[in-house]
Each structure stands twice: as structure tokens, then as C-alpha cells.
């Protein structure tokens, strides 16, 4: 059995690391909230979910559960919440969703993907390669 020197071990380590993606930081647009009677409508909901690479149904389920409200997605991908919710409250809940289910806890990047691994949900960072389990709240 031969001994490996430090340089060989270091090269072997770097060859096994995932390649680092160099991309521009993601600009997450603010939610465009509109009030229609007793309903609250998020007009750019589909676009925002595409930017953060999340299924709109998961994001909406999280928001509805957090508010204790009912709602749905309309044909254009807009979120419709069946009660009046203030812009500030909605944006605060959305920021909490971003912190828990989008932002990498290791490097802070928003370039992540959320996938189910067996019975747990895993947040995988596409920038640094870190993986973290997250508790589903939807």
C-alpha cells in the first residue's frame, strides 16, 4: 500500500467536487399585489415562481397555509387568495419562503433546486453543491 502525498490528495479532492457555476445573481421581482373585491391577486406569481425555479402550487400552498386562507391559481398563473391580505404581510411570508426553501444555507445563493428524496425534501445548491434537508410546510 503506497502513501499518497498532500498534493495528490488535494488533486483527488478537487476532481471529485462538483463544478462551480458562475452565473449572475438572481433578481427576484417583488410580488405585484392587486385587490379585487374581497380577493387578493398576485399578478406576477407565475413569473416569480419561474425565477426561483419552484412549482407555483408548492409556493401557493405554503403561503395559504401560513395565512390560514383559501386560494387558487387562475388560468394565467396568477395566485388568487380568497381574502384581503396586505402587501406587506404577503411579501413578508414570501421572503420567509425564500429563506427556508430557496436560499442556500451554506453560501446564500438563490440558485437552488428543491427535490424529494424518499420521504424528505432536499435543497440542493447549484452554485456550491451543498445539500440540506428542509421540512415541508405545505
Amino acid at each position: 500500500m503506497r502513501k499518497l502525498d498532500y498534493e495528490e490528495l488535494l488533486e483527488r479532492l478537487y476532481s471529485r467536487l462538483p463544478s462551480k457555476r458562475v452565473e449572475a445573481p438572481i433578481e427576484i421581482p417583488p410580488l405585484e399585489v392587486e385587490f379585487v373585491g374581497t380577493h387578493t391577486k398576485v399578478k406576477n406569481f407565475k413569473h416569480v415562481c419561474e425565477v426561483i425555479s419552484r412549482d407555483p402550487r408548492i409556493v401557493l400552498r405554503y403561503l395559504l397555509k401560513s395565512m390560514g386562507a383559501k386560494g387558487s391559481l387562475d388560468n394565467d398563473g396568477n395566485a388568487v387568495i380568497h381574502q384581503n391580505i396586505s402587501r406587506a404581510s404577503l411579501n413578508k411570508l414570501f421572503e420567509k419562503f425564500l429563506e427556508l426553501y430557496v436560499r442556500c444555507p451554506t453560501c446564500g445563493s438563490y440558485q437552488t433546486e428543491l427535490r424529494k428524496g424518499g420521504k424528505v425534501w432536499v435543497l440542493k445548491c447549484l452554485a456550491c453543491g451543498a445539500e440540506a434537508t428542509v421540512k415541508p410546510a405545505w
Side-chain angles (χ1 to χ4, degrees), residues 90-101:
L90 199 55
N91 279 311
K92 191 173 187 177
L93 285 173
F94 183 67
E95 287 174 14
K96 186 176 178 184
F97 177 84
L98 291 175
E99 196 63 33
L100 294 173
Y101 299 103

Side-chain angles (χ1 to χ4, degrees), residues 121-134:
W121 286 87
V122 177
L123 182 70
K124 179 170 173 55
C125 182
L126 302 175
C128 72
E131 290 187 2
T133 57
V134 293

Side-chain angles (χ1 to χ4, degrees), residues 15 20 42 47 56 63 74 79 81 83 90 104 116-117 130:
S15 69
K20 192 170 188 176
V42 182
H47 172 67
L63 293 174
D74 67 8
I81 302 166
Q83 70 184 48
L90 199 55
C104 174
K116 191 169 184 176

Side-chain angles (χ1 to χ4, degrees), residues 2-28:
R2 81 179 182 103
K3 286 187 175 181
L4 298 174
D5 69 343
Y6 177 75
E7 294 298 322
E8 288 177 88
L9 290 172
L10 197 57
E11 286 300 318
R12 191 169 82 180
L13 171 75
Y14 281 129
S15 69
R16 293 181 182 183
L17 286 176
S19 61
K20 192 170 188 176
R21 293 185 178 189
V22 180
E23 297 177 8
I26 294 176
E27 283 293 322
I28 301 170

